[in-house]
Amino acid sequence: MSSQITKSKSTTPKLVRSSPKTVQKDAVEAKVFCCQFEVFGRVQGVFFRKHTQKKAKELGITGWCMNTTRGTVQGMLEGSLDQMTDMKYWLQHKGSPRSVIEKAVFSEVEPLPINNFKMFSIRR
């Protein structure tokens, strides 16, 4: 049993055009964004991670933070653009009461289809 498919000579390929998606359009449609951060200064041994977790919970941010061997705190943030802006400001200028923040570095904010985290956790 063999079957053969024969092409019709009158068939011509059809050109299908699609509009290109722009990054800005995708970003506006996305409701969840993420970025990585690292905070430098006196941020270890001053309850910085605990206060970061508390502030993230207050703002509705998910993600994580952890101490590094370089004496910094790094982590990941997920939330809306407004939530991210508030949390970034807090990480740059406020922190825990006993911390001394020299600088905070953030990756580019990227849109996400869904949250990867259910809460904000402290990694050890």
Side-chain angles (χ1 to χ4, degrees), residues 12 31 49 51 60 64 75 86 103 106 110-111:
T12 58
K31 301 219 183 320
R49 292 175 299 156
H51 283 270
W64 57 269
D86 292 347
K103 71 176 180 176
F106 301 92
E110 298 177 11

Side-chain angles (χ1 to χ4, degrees), residues 20-40:
K21 293 183 178 180
T22 62
V23 174
Q24 291 175 343
K25 183 179 178 184
D26 289 343
V28 171
E29 290 175 2
K31 301 219 183 320
V32 180
F33 296 85
C34 74
C35 82
Q36 296 178 351
F37 69 90
E38 187 164 14
V39 184
F40 298 80

